[in-house]
Amino acid sequence: MTLDSLGNWRKTHFTKDITSALVGKEIILGGWVRNFRDLGGLKFISLQDKYGERQITIKKGVVSDDVFDKTKVGYQYCIMVKGIVKIFKKAPGGIEIIPSEVKILNKTPEKLPIDMTGETISELDLRLNNRALDLRSLKNQAVFDIRGEMFRSIRRFLFDHDFTEVTTPKIIGTATEGGTELFPIMFFEREAFLTQSAQLYKEQLSGVYERVFEISDCFRAEKHRTKRHLCEILILDVEMAFVSMDDILTILEKLVYNVIKDIREHKMGPLKFIEMENTTILPEIPFPRFQYEEIIELINNKYGFNIEFGEDISTEAYRKLGKDFPGYYYINNWPMSIKPFYIMPSKNTKYSESFDLQKGMLELTSGGARVHNKKQLMDAIETKGLNSASFKSHLNVFDYGMPPHAGFGLGLDRWLTMICGLNDIREAVMYPRTPDRLTP
Amino acid sequence: MTLDSLGNWRKTHFTKDITSALVGKEIILGGWVRNFRDLGGLKFISLQDKYGERQITIKKGVVSDDVFDKTKVGYQYCIMVKGIVKIFKKAPGGIEIIPSEVKILNKTPEKLPIDMTGETISELDLRLNNRALDLRSLKNQAVFDIRGEMFRSIRRFLFDHDFTEVTTPKIIGTATEGGTELFPIMFFEREAFLTQSAQLYKEQLSGVYERVFEISDCFRAEKHRTKRHLCEILILDVEMAFVSMDDILTILEKLVYNVIKDIREHKMGPLKFIEMENTTILPEIPFPRFQYEEIIELINNKYGFNIEFGEDISTEAYRKLGKDFPGYYYINNWPMSIKPFYIMPSKNTKYSESFDLQKGMLELTSGGARVHNKKQLMDAIETKGLNSASFKSHLNVFDYGMPPHAGFGLGLDRWLTMICGLNDIREAVMYPRTPDRLTP
């Protein structure tokens, strides 16, 4: 059988638009065959599009012989159906379409690499190898529908709070910020790097637009093979001028609250589909605020660890902590000694004006107030064993009236993983990149 | 003089919020000293923040001696002012602030690298070297305010038209699409590349979400040193399933129309400031549609060129054409021979279902319908002298019900350059990257 061409057919509706108001009307749907049943003289096709599915009912004698013969479909065939909307209580959604014409736009092999009916879940790597197909699954439809709302909600909230969306370069000249390993690139004759974070640029831009944010890719050349790490991650970077760390805690928890509120308000269907409606619930704000020192004391006393002041908190310790505090909470005022140079020391310089936002055992955000005095910043760079000369173009900016500023970076892939209760961060990304995965 | 700390001061308003409704009220502003005048017993400071400026009036005897002595400011000092709002007809905006307390949060050297009063315009490279300072200029404030509206308008329009915002990887495994030179990167032990466009991924995702868009960085390792080229560019990528090229022409011109409408509705102030209010005007839609063949005939006959069918149109020819057609217009149905493999041939396969959207002499968009049949796509790849094996993971997708689809890519930096009447595309980017520029 040859394939049909689109010709002058156009979809008149998406599946979500087919309501009882259209009963008796002729409509054209297009999409993919999610499921089909052949009972001899009676066939059913579940046609899926970007918003959901509708039942096409093909009964011998009711539809033309042409249509009856043509509707020998397979899983995920791409088809269009012209037909009449009818009430049918037993159909999903109480509506069926009686086709008058059908187009088969593209076919598939009889055996697909992954099951698309939702009856069995294929192994993640196999699914990622066939990601474009995998993304059509009802679960992924729900996850990425929630993701869309998350992004829209973040932008709405930040625009409502006078933030400017900025764009900072992904190719950077010097590998300076420290901490994370960078991907080197050849930039004509020079060595350059992919950005690990928008940190320095967003700080600079807080001296222009006062309140800035960026949602963009950052690149981490870390050979982690865990369920929480990626080489290419989407970070929400936020920076505010004329504020302290406390103001950031407040705006961040309001942001988190609002995003979850929006998801529950606008995406309850998808949330129910992935069975997260009782887990991803509105958190109480303000979030609990702990001091770093308080937390290590608790960890040591209650769970028998031996973390000393100035040490990081181990994954194992976080795991215990997360059981007692499964929700969102802040860990504030980390030791200055383990924070990057740009973090503002507290009055007692043993501590810093920094915080982590935790959700259970996982770190969602890291942030704090920054140094805005040039001399102090240069000293901090040298103290960390870095070379202030390589920060020349960044440091220059601090000559020209940098305001006090503070901000945070929030890993959106990781947050979506939590909100959707996914097992692996790769499930929260359309095309994940890991040390072992460069395709598709 | 030591600097003041923020302490418990917070801005109560932005400059834009200081209206006559606040007369007699105490407010706190924060920002930068755009200008100042010292007339002996009377001083004026123009305080600029992200939204505009307000006049601070410091009169001996009216303000405290402390405040009078403290307001020895320089250009771009970062300050906060607590004071009372007063009507003063001669002040810009008819309002002045009488300060009761002032904080100097950061100072600047007496001589700034670029003039920030707006009286003289420094040379572009010098400005880019000091970009964070340069971005505070009133002109840049206007340009990037318009840019913000452009981005918001695009997203609003596309969400209203059932588009899903997608995210595709920036690190790709194979240098395959052809045309543009790529930046190679070391991805652990393997060679990889920075993406030149979201083309193949957005096509795949049109088979999932039907209508997709992405606004993201693409990377071009081209050693162009022109006023129109960058190494890191922001592209709006759009792809639609179940449509033909004609549908894309319609949606694209509606998008262009809407963005300009939104800018004129919401950003007339900035547009006037950069003197573009009579140039960046609402275009008439539909845009004129020319055939490629018609255009080369016109170019040859009217301007005396000798372009043959199958040749590209030279910059010089576009320059002449742009004089006769300064607005937006389409050039459709380019020769298949000069189009990439994924472009759909027309019924007469000499032509293709492709188009360029021009604005005067400049190409703004390139787009068209795509091949969705796997066999045809494999043949097209081989015909172009490429190796279909290196497209394996992309071609696989075409086994699984790819719908007919079409789309376009629109260079946002170039478009903003046009809308704002800028002389150089680097002026439309916060931190541009060119072969000669890796910093700041």
Side-chain angles (χ1 to χ4, degrees):
Chain A
M1 191 185 71
T2 57
L3 297 175
D4 295 310
S5 68
L6 180 67
N8 59 4
W9 279 37
R10 292 296 175 276
K11 294 172 63 155
T12 58
H13 298 80
F14 289 105
T15 52
K16 72 170 165 59
D17 306 319
I18 307 290
T19 62
S20 53
L22 290 171
V23 166
K25 296 271 187 337
E26 186 181 78
I27 53 98
I28 300 180
L29 287 180
W32 295 272
V33 174
R34 199 176 89 74
N35 220 331
F36 56 91
R37 270 188 303 159
D38 190 339
L39 310 173
L42 180 62
K43 297 189 279 191
F44 299 103
I45 293 174
S46 163
L47 175 64
Q48 173 190 2
D49 67 10
K50 81 176 284 178
Y51 288 115
E53 52 185 323
R54 283 294 169 200
Q55 178 174 302
I56 317 296
T57 306
I58 307 119
K59 193 173 179 182
K60 210 171 176 92
V62 172
V63 304
S64 72
D65 286 355
D66 268 8
V67 166
F68 193 85
D69 291 342
K70 197 164 189 176
T71 43
K72 286 191 204 85
V73 296
Y75 292 117
Q76 297 300 315
Y77 273 31
C78 181
I79 68 172
M80 290 180 92
V81 173
K82 187 185 282 181
I84 304 289
V85 179
K86 224 184 115 186
I87 294 283
F88 178 48
K89 290 248 168 346
K90 285 195 209 163
I95 282 176
E96 64 180 359
I97 315 290
I98 311 298
S100 57
E101 267 183 88
V102 171
K103 287 195 179 206
I104 310 284
L105 297 173
N106 229 331
K107 298 172 76 176
T108 60
E110 206 168 318
K111 197 163 158 39
L112 294 176
I114 48 180
D115 174 69
M116 294 302 293
T117 63
E119 280 165 31
T120 58
I121 303 294
S122 304
E123 192 258 321
L124 181 57
D125 260 304
L126 185 62
R127 284 168 40 210
L128 293 175
N129 289 342
N130 299 279
R131 190 58 162 164
L133 179 61
D134 177 50
L135 287 171
R136 280 191 210 140
S137 75
L138 297 185
K139 179 176 179 186
N140 276 328
Q141 214 173 34
V143 167
F144 288 94
D145 198 4
I146 291 169
R147 182 181 186 270
E149 186 60 30
M150 173 195 271
F151 280 60
R152 283 193 295 278
S153 175
I154 289 170
R155 284 197 165 90
R156 268 196 305 265
F157 178 85
L158 292 173
F159 288 140
D160 284 350
H161 287 79
D162 285 292
F163 281 83
T164 295
E165 186 164 6
V166 300
T167 329
T168 68
K170 302 298 155 265
I171 301 177
I172 55 170
T174 41
T176 44
E177 206 188 316
T180 302
E181 288 184 69
L182 299 182
F183 288 110
I185 78 162
M186 274 309 293
F187 191 77
F188 305 100
E189 283 77 39
R190 296 178 56 180
E191 187 186 48
F193 302 91
L194 294 185
T195 186
Q196 65 184 283
S197 94
Q199 181 65 32
L200 304 187
Y201 287 103
K202 72 172 171 170
E203 284 193 55
Q204 294 188 15
L205 291 170
S206 77
V208 180
Y209 305 109
E210 305 185 41
R211 299 178 175 202
V212 298
F213 78 96
E214 180 170 23
I215 295 177
S216 81
D217 282 294
C218 294
F219 305 90
R220 312 267 165 107
E222 293 165 335
K223 255 199 163 159
H224 292 306
R225 290 189 172 83
T226 78
K227 294 180 173 192
R228 299 191 311 276
H229 289 89
L230 293 167
C231 294
E232 194 178 327
I233 52 178
L234 266 185
I235 303 273
L236 166 64
D237 263 302
V238 168
E239 200 74 20
M240 285 178 89
F242 303 105
V243 299
S244 71
M245 181 184 85
D246 279 342
D247 301 296
I248 297 294
L249 298 179
T250 304
I251 201 133
L252 171 55
E253 71 196 356
K254 273 171 74 178
L255 173 83
V256 167
Y257 179 91
N258 261 277
V259 167
I260 294 172
K261 185 163 164 278
D262 277 342
I263 288 171
R264 292 189 64 87
E265 263 179 42
H266 304 300
K267 299 294 168 191
M268 189 44 97
L271 209 53
K272 279 187 175 162
F273 185 84
I274 56 175
E275 298 176 354
M276 288 300 287
E277 79 274 25
N278 299 322
T279 313
T280 295
I281 52 173
L282 262 187
E284 251 184 75
I285 52 175
F287 296 158
R289 286 155 163 73
F290 300 103
Q291 299 284 313
Y292 161 86
E293 218 163 0
E294 210 178 330
I295 282 287
I296 58 168
E297 221 175 275
L298 185 149
I299 288 172
N300 290 344
N301 292 342
K302 189 163 176 192
Y303 316 126
F305 285 81
N306 279 306
I307 302 171
E308 286 185 37
F309 184 89
E311 283 180 20
D312 226 324
I313 299 170
S314 65
T315 307
E316 199 38 45
Y318 274 128
R319 208 184 302 274
K320 302 262 186 190
L321 193 62
K323 284 201 176 134
D324 283 339
F325 301 100
Y328 293 94
Y329 60 98
Y330 286 118
I331 305 178
N332 297 343
N333 301 110
W334 290 69
M336 191 60 224
S337 57
I338 55 172
K339 280 289 156 183
F341 67 86
Y342 47 78
I343 288 288
M344 180 78 97
S346 301
K347 265 180 196 160
N348 176 345
T349 55
K350 199 176 140 188
Y351 306 101
S352 67
E353 295 296 293
S354 66
F355 67 90
D356 280 3
L357 173 61
Q358 295 280 133
K359 167 83 169 72
M361 68 165 285
L362 288 173
E363 180 199 328
L364 183 59
T365 316
S366 195
R370 330 295 189 179
V371 176
H372 63 282
N373 178 294
K374 186 180 180 179
K375 175 74 176 62
Q376 191 184 349
L377 190 60
M378 284 178 74
D379 291 348
I381 288 171
E382 301 287 348
T383 302
K384 290 285 172 190
L386 299 164
N387 178 5
S388 64
S390 58
F391 290 90
K392 190 171 174 293
S393 91
H394 181 61
L395 280 166
N396 278 349
V397 177
F398 289 73
D399 271 333
Y400 307 131
M402 271 302 282
H405 57 287
F408 63 85
L410 188 160
L412 295 177
D413 311 309
R414 185 176 283 188
W415 196 19
L416 186 67
T417 305
M418 293 171 187
I419 286 176
C420 293
L422 304 174
N423 183 43
D424 190 307
I425 195 168
R426 290 175 292 170
E427 299 195 65
V429 182
M430 290 187 184
Y431 294 95
R433 288 290 176 265
T434 64
D436 305 312
R437 182 169 289 285
L438 253 173
T439 52
Chain B
M1 191 185 74
T2 57
L3 297 175
D4 294 311
S5 67
L6 180 67
N8 60 4
W9 279 37
R10 293 295 177 274
K11 294 173 61 156
T12 57
H13 298 81
F14 290 104
T15 52
K16 73 169 164 61
D17 305 319
I18 306 291
T19 63
S20 52
L22 290 172
V23 167
K25 296 271 186 340
E26 186 181 78
I27 53 100
I28 300 180
L29 288 181
W32 296 272
V33 174
R34 198 176 90 74
N35 221 331
F36 56 91
R37 269 187 303 159
D38 190 338
L39 309 173
L42 180 63
K43 296 190 280 190
F44 299 103
I45 293 174
S46 162
L47 175 65
Q48 173 190 0
D49 69 9
K50 80 176 286 178
Y51 288 116
E53 51 187 324
R54 282 293 170 200
Q55 179 175 301
I56 317 296
T57 306
I58 307 117
K59 195 174 178 180
K60 209 172 178 90
V62 172
V63 303
S64 73
D65 287 353
D66 268 9
V67 166
F68 193 84
D69 291 343
K70 196 165 190 176
T71 44
K72 286 191 206 85
V73 295
Y75 293 116
Q76 298 299 315
Y77 274 31
C78 181
I79 67 173
M80 289 180 93
V81 173
K82 189 185 282 182
I84 304 290
V85 178
K86 222 184 115 188
I87 294 283
F88 179 46
K89 290 248 168 347
K90 284 193 208 164
I95 282 176
E96 63 180 0
I97 315 290
I98 311 298
S100 58
E101 266 185 88
V102 171
K103 287 196 178 206
I104 311 284
L105 296 174
N106 228 331
K107 297 173 75 177
T108 61
E110 206 170 317
K111 197 163 158 40
L112 294 176
I114 49 180
D115 174 69
M116 294 303 292
T117 63
E119 281 165 29
T120 58
I121 304 294
S122 304
E123 193 256 321
L124 181 57
D125 260 304
L126 185 62
R127 285 168 40 209
L128 293 175
N129 288 342
N130 298 281
R131 190 57 161 166
L133 180 61
D134 178 51
L135 287 171
R136 282 191 209 138
S137 76
L138 298 185
K139 180 178 177 183
N140 276 328
Q141 214 174 33
V143 166
F144 288 94
D145 197 4
I146 291 169
R147 181 181 185 270
E149 185 61 30
M150 174 195 269
F151 281 61
R152 283 192 295 277
S153 175
I154 289 170
R155 284 197 166 89
R156 268 197 305 264
F157 177 86
L158 292 173
F159 288 140
D160 283 351
H161 287 79
D162 285 292
F163 281 83
T164 294
E165 185 164 8
V166 300
T167 328
T168 67
K170 303 298 156 263
I171 301 176
I172 55 171
T174 41
T176 43
E177 205 188 316
T180 303
E181 288 183 70
L182 300 182
F183 288 109
I185 77 162
M186 274 310 293
F187 191 78
F188 304 101
E189 283 77 39
R190 296 178 56 181
E191 187 187 46
F193 302 91
L194 295 185
T195 185
Q196 64 183 286
S197 93
Q199 181 64 34
L200 303 187
Y201 288 102
K202 72 173 171 170
E203 284 193 54
Q204 293 187 17
L205 291 169
S206 77
V208 181
Y209 305 108
E210 305 185 41
R211 300 178 176 203
V212 298
F213 78 98
E214 179 170 24
I215 294 177
S216 81
D217 282 293
C218 294
F219 304 90
R220 311 267 164 108
E222 292 165 336
K223 254 200 166 160
H224 291 306
R225 288 188 173 84
T226 78
K227 295 181 171 190
R228 299 191 311 275
H229 289 90
L230 293 167
C231 293
E232 194 177 328
I233 52 180
L234 267 185
I235 302 273
L236 166 64
D237 263 302
V238 168
E239 201 73 20
M240 285 179 87
F242 302 105
V243 299
S244 71
M245 181 184 84
D246 279 342
D247 301 295
I248 296 295
L249 298 178
T250 304
I251 200 132
L252 173 54
E253 70 196 356
K254 273 170 74 178
L255 173 82
V256 167
Y257 179 92
N258 261 276
V259 167
I260 295 173
K261 184 163 163 280
D262 277 342
I263 288 172
R264 291 190 65 87
E265 264 179 42
H266 304 299
K267 298 296 168 190
M268 187 44 95
L271 209 54
K272 279 186 175 162
F273 185 84
I274 57 173
E275 297 177 355
M276 287 301 286
E277 79 273 26
N278 298 321
T279 312
T280 295
I281 52 173
L282 262 188
E284 251 184 75
I285 52 172
F287 295 158
R289 288 156 162 72
F290 299 104
Q291 299 285 313
Y292 161 86
E293 217 162 1
E294 212 178 325
I295 282 286
I296 58 168
E297 220 176 275
L298 184 151
I299 288 173
N300 289 345
N301 292 341
K302 190 162 175 194
Y303 315 126
F305 285 81
N306 280 305
I307 302 171
E308 285 184 40
F309 184 91
E311 284 178 20
D312 225 322
I313 298 171
S314 65
T315 307
E316 199 39 44
Y318 274 128
R319 207 182 302 274
K320 302 264 186 190
L321 193 62
K323 285 202 174 132
D324 283 339
F325 302 99
Y328 293 94
Y329 60 97
Y330 285 118
I331 305 179
N332 298 343
N333 301 111
W334 290 68
M336 192 59 224
S337 57
I338 55 172
K339 280 288 157 185
F341 67 86
Y342 48 77
I343 287 288
M344 179 78 96
S346 300
K347 264 180 196 161
N348 176 344
T349 55
K350 200 177 138 189
Y351 307 100
S352 68
E353 295 297 292
S354 67
F355 67 91
D356 280 3
L357 173 61
Q358 295 281 131
K359 167 83 168 71
M361 68 166 285
L362 289 174
E363 180 198 327
L364 183 60
T365 318
S366 196
R370 330 295 190 180
V371 176
H372 63 281
N373 178 294
K374 185 180 182 180
K375 174 76 175 61
Q376 190 185 350
L377 190 59
M378 284 179 75
D379 291 347
I381 288 171
E382 301 286 348
T383 302
K384 291 286 173 190
L386 299 164
N387 179 3
S388 63
S390 57
F391 290 90
K392 191 171 173 294
S393 92
H394 180 60
L395 281 166
N396 278 350
V397 177
F398 289 74
D399 271 333
Y400 307 129
M402 270 303 282
H405 58 288
F408 63 86
L410 188 159
L412 295 177
D413 312 308
R414 185 176 283 190
W415 196 20
L416 186 68
T417 305
M418 293 172 187
I419 286 176
C420 293
L422 304 174
N423 183 45
D424 190 307
I425 195 167
R426 289 175 292 170
E427 300 195 65
V429 182
M430 291 188 184
Y431 292 95
R433 288 292 176 261
T434 63
D436 305 312
R437 182 169 289 284
L438 253 173
T439 51

